[in-house]
Amino acid sequence: MTTKTSAAINLKAPWWRRRFQQLKMLASRAWGTRMVGGFVRGDGVFLPHTRISNTSHVFARERLDVGDHVFIGHFSVLDATYGLRIGEGCQIGFFTGIFTHSSHAAIRLYGRAFVATAEKKAYFTAPVEIGDYSFVGAHATLLPGTVLGRGSIVSAYSMVSGTHPDFAILAGQPAKQVGDTRRMDERLLREHPELQAHYLAWAGELPVAPQTTKDGQA
């Protein structure tokens, strides 16, 4: 379904690059909400084409596996505590929430004993994976255990859980598959055939629009 994050860039950033990116992020806040170019991953790899907003926050950054050419928009929260992979070329919209743990059930069960209890029941944890060249719309929420195939689209304000195939278009609360991005991609590549090589470079094959059923679904 999904592919491993591209290994085209795998050099560790030197110490000055790591410190510079931290200072660059802090300094950018003097000019308000800004996208900051360049990102040093938790394992020290520098991603020159990845951009993240200075208003977004990553929890457990060392457990975030992110590819290059990724965009993470303003005021988003990325919880990588139990493992988060964002594939190459993904776009994460504004005000999105991606979570790898959920405690709301546990705190209702434990009440005031929640904080003092080390091993909690009903405390749900699971990694999240977003396949290469996927798009997550503004205000969407991805719950623990979500797996998105590559080339997917999550519509704005959707609530997503579970495993979904490559090229799925998801919408709703809870989100369901409502389409297939290959239908759009096939039409656009017919209009712009000079872009086929670029598409092949990440997808491995040109899109073939799926057959439509009687109810209009792919």
Side-chain angles (χ1 to χ4, degrees):
M1 175 180 294
T2 54
T3 58
K4 186 177 178 60
T5 299
S6 174
I9 299 174
N10 55 13
L11 297 178
K12 299 283 180 142
W15 69 268
W16 62 265
R17 169 62 73 183
R18 302 183 196 195
R19 181 58 57 86
F20 175 74
Q21 288 302 129
Q22 293 173 346
L23 294 175
K24 184 179 179 181
M25 179 67 77
L26 290 172
S28 71
R29 293 172 183 167
W31 287 271
T33 302
R34 291 287 186 276
M35 296 302 301
V36 178
F39 186 78
V40 178
R41 208 163 56 195
D43 61 1
V45 171
F46 178 58
L47 306 171
H49 306 292
T50 286
R51 296 174 293 157
I52 183 170
S53 171
N54 60 8
T55 60
S56 288
H57 187 74
V58 179
F59 293 98
R61 184 175 176 139
E62 70 280 3
R63 297 183 183 178
L64 172 63
D65 176 11
V66 60
D68 205 6
H69 303 276
V70 167
F71 175 95
I72 299 172
H74 304 313
F75 303 104
S76 292
V77 175
L78 280 64
D79 165 29
T81 306
Y82 293 93
L84 171 58
R85 192 189 84 82
I86 301 176
E88 179 183 276
C90 288
Q91 295 178 302
I92 308 299
F94 301 166
F95 296 95
T96 59
I98 302 174
F99 302 100
T100 62
H101 76 282
S102 175
S103 60
H104 68 84
I107 199 165
R108 291 197 304 276
L109 296 179
Y110 285 95
R112 298 188 182 98
F114 178 84
V115 174
T117 304
E119 297 294 331
K120 301 176 180 65
K121 308 296 184 183
Y123 188 94
F124 305 114
T125 65
V128 170
E129 182 173 350
I130 303 174
D132 297 348
Y133 292 90
S134 291
F135 174 85
V136 178
H139 296 273
T141 300
L142 274 59
L143 298 178
T146 296
V147 177
L148 298 180
R150 60 191 183 131
S152 298
I153 291 177
V154 174
S155 298
Y157 292 93
S158 296
M159 177 81 75
V160 187
S161 63
T163 299
H164 303 277
D166 295 345
F167 306 106
I169 299 175
L170 304 170
Q173 300 174 344
K176 297 180 180 180
Q177 183 171 355
V178 296
D180 191 301
T181 60
R182 288 171 294 189
R183 192 178 305 282
M184 179 195 315
D185 295 345
E186 182 188 45
R187 174 178 55 81
L188 290 171
L189 288 173
R190 277 191 278 110
E191 296 175 4
H192 307 285
E194 70 278 10
L195 300 179
Q196 290 182 1
H198 298 302
Y199 193 97
L200 280 168
W202 72 267
E205 60 184 4
L206 293 177
V208 176
Q211 297 296 315
T212 303
T213 61
K214 292 181 180 180
D215 61 2
Q217 297 296 314

